[in-house]
Every structure is written in structure tokens, then in C-alpha cells.
Amino acid sequence: MPTRISRLAEVDPRARIGRDVEIGPFCTVGPDVVIGDDTKLQSHVAIFGRTVVGRDNHFSPGCVIGGEPQDKSFQEGETGVLIGDGNSFREGVTVNRGAEKEDHVTRIGHRNLLMANSHVAHNCHVHDHTILVNGVLLGGHVHVHDWAIVSGNSVVHHFSTLGTLAFVSGGCRVPHDIPPYMLAAGSDDPTVQTINIIGMRRRGISEESIRAVKRSHRLLYREHKSLDAVREIFAAEFPDGFPAELRLVLDFVERQRQGKLGRAREAERDRPTKPADIYAEYEASLRRAA
């Protein structure tokens, strides 16, 4: 099917539009935008700035992608948004482009679901296969790792990291990192209450690894043992090396405790910035796919 652009849409002629793209009525696409093949903008979708959108993405009405960061230090620099393939952006989703910090880019990976009225702030990195439920708000510089789920109306503090397969219950205020495979709940200051055992089983993780991660939760968050003590306990049980999932948890917690205020990535505030070339990254991804 050829690319279809509604006569009621405003698409800058300098924008790069792929094959089999559909752009519905009252959409706006800026001059520095790249839209990959098989992507659909339903209606009233606005994509601004230096924004690169991969293949097979779906934008529901009212999405605003690539708007200026809500950061008072922003200096109108050439920052951007880089979006991968197969994502679904439901009604009213907003994704701000980066500020002149970190690599100057807000990143959305592949096959994520961003439900209605969720917000991704400047310099966030949402990895792959995540779900942001209705009304989720990510502050600046938040990282959400693969397969994590953030339930409705939760608010994640800037520079926080949600680990692989982490699960955040609805209505949480998340001021700190949540380790991989853990389930956090509590509206004011969520605690790591148990592990995301359903998510782990769905991903085909072995029962041995699940038992090890569950025990690490008990040792760290129920018995409050030191990280060194926990490593010693598991070293005796796994003399040939920890299961990958257990190692991921312990390494994550170690970085978190070396950070500030429960956020390992607070150190990013003071690092020099180095702008990324999102157009070159996109072209490289196309070459790899070919």
C-alpha cells in the first residue's frame, strides 16, 4: 500500500517519510522528522524537532512527540528523540526531546506500549517491551529497562532506574531505583515487596533462577543483610557462578547503593555531555536490518 497523507495534514516537504506510511487529518510533521516504513499517525498527531521514528509504529490521536523539554536550562540546542520499531503510542502520549544533557536524546526502544496520557520527559531511555499504563509520568533522565511494567498514574522521579522485568503497582510515587524482577508497591514511598514471579515465568526464566532471585529478595529486603553477606551466601550455593538473573539483581543493587538517594544514576548529573547523531544511528540500524 503506498504512503497516504491526508490533505488536511501539514507535513513539511523536508521531512523524510518512508514507504506505506499513513498520516491522518490534522497531523503536523516538522522539517527535521524521519518516519520509518509502515508507521501510522491516526489524526491530530504532532511530531516536532529532530525526531526519528522507526518502522511500524502506531500513534493514536493527540500524541505530541519531540516537543521542547520542560527544563528551564534548555538552550534551544539540536537535541532529539529516537524511537525504534513496533511501538504503540495511545491517545495523548507526550514524549519530550532531550535537553543538552547526557547524549542530548530521549530514547524509546522497540515494541513498547505507552498507554493514554503517559509522559516521557527529556533524556529518558525506555528500553524494549515495556508497558507504561495510563497516566504514568516519567521525570527527566529516567531509565526503564526491558519488560518492565509501570502501572497507572505512577510517577517516577528523575534519574531513577527501573530494572528488567520490574513491576510498579498503580498510583506509586517512585523516588528511587527498583531492581530487576522486583515488585514495588505503596503510594507514598514504594517498598520492594516481592518478586515479579509471573513476569519471570512468562519470560521462560528457570525455576532455579526464580528461587535464587526470590531468596535474594528475602535476604536483602526482609532480613536486611549486607550485600557482601548475600554474595557470600550465594557463592557457597553456586560455586561455579551465579545464575544470570541473580547476578543482574546483585550488581544492580550494588550500583544503587553506591549512588545517592537510592538512585545509581545521580552521578550522570555531573558528567560531560556528548551529543549523539540520531540520524546516523537510524541509518546504521537500517543497514543492520538489511
Side-chain angles (χ1 to χ4, degrees):
M1 184 180 296
T3 290
R4 293 169 292 166
I5 300 177
S6 170
R7 62 183 179 83
L8 298 177
E10 183 177 341
V11 178
D12 193 285
R14 292 166 290 181
R16 291 172 53 189
I17 309 297
R19 298 184 302 272
D20 304 326
V21 172
E22 181 178 341
I23 300 178
F26 307 108
C27 291
T28 301
V29 178
D32 299 318
V33 172
V34 176
I35 297 179
D37 300 346
D38 302 304
T39 290
K40 181 177 181 179
L41 284 61
Q42 278 190 273
S43 69
H44 298 85
V45 175
I47 304 184
F48 301 121
R50 297 163 62 85
T51 297
V52 175
V53 178
R55 295 174 53 95
D56 194 30
N57 290 283
H58 187 155
F59 295 90
S60 296
C63 292
V64 180
I65 311 298
E68 289 189 0
Q70 297 174 87
D71 184 329
K72 293 181 71 174
S73 69
F74 180 58
Q75 299 295 316
E76 306 291 338
E78 292 187 340
T79 63
V81 175
L82 179 60
I83 295 172
D85 303 332
N87 298 288
S88 179
F89 298 81
R90 295 302 302 267
E91 296 80 2
V93 168
T94 53
V95 179
N96 290 166
R97 64 181 181 265
E100 296 93 345
K101 299 170 182 178
E102 297 194 55
D103 66 356
H104 299 204
V105 178
T106 301
R107 295 173 179 269
I108 308 286
H110 305 298
R111 293 169 290 282
N112 299 287
L113 171 58
L114 285 74
M115 294 190 189
N117 299 312
S118 54
H119 173 69
V120 179
H122 62 88
N123 303 96
C124 284
H125 188 177
V126 177
H127 289 238
D128 303 335
H129 302 285
T130 70
I131 299 176
L132 307 184
V133 182
N134 302 63
V136 165
L137 307 178
L138 302 185
H141 309 271
V142 167
H143 283 204
V144 182
H145 289 189
D146 296 351
W147 301 102
I149 297 176
V150 188
S151 299
N153 295 316
S154 292
V155 181
V156 184
H157 193 282
H158 51 273
F159 286 100
S160 294
T161 301
L162 309 183
T164 299
L165 271 168
F167 186 99
V168 176
S169 295
C172 285
R173 181 186 66 86
V174 185
H176 48 68
D177 298 347
I178 305 297
Y181 314 113
M182 300 297 167
L183 186 152
S187 59
D188 186 38
D189 189 355
T191 57
V192 176
Q193 298 194 356
T194 184
I195 69 169
N196 181 13
I197 192 168
I198 293 175
M200 295 180 76
R201 286 177 173 157
R202 284 176 177 170
R203 298 309 314 148
I205 294 172
S206 72
E207 289 299 319
E208 178 187 53
S209 291
I210 291 174
R211 286 193 297 270
V213 170
K214 186 173 184 179
R215 188 162 183 225
S216 74
H217 167 266
R218 184 171 67 253
L219 293 171
L220 289 167
Y221 297 102
R222 298 286 175 81
E223 299 180 16
H224 303 289
K225 292 187 179 296
S226 71
L227 189 58
D228 288 341
V230 173
R231 288 190 185 276
E232 288 180 8
I233 291 169
F234 283 114
E237 296 182 15
F238 298 102
D240 296 327
F242 295 170
E245 293 79 12
L246 176 61
R247 186 170 61 251
L248 186 63
V249 169
L250 299 182
D251 290 349
F252 184 103
V253 172
E254 182 173 11
R255 290 191 299 272
Q256 179 185 8
R257 293 183 177 182
Q258 290 172 348
K260 297 179 180 179
L261 304 173
R263 299 187 290 271
R265 299 189 61 257
E266 280 290 337
E268 298 291 341
R269 291 179 183 269
D270 304 320
R271 291 185 180 177
T273 66
K274 184 179 180 181
D277 187 339
I278 57 174
Y279 301 109
E281 289 189 31
Y282 179 65
E283 295 293 343
S285 71
L286 294 179
R287 289 194 295 272
R288 288 193 297 271

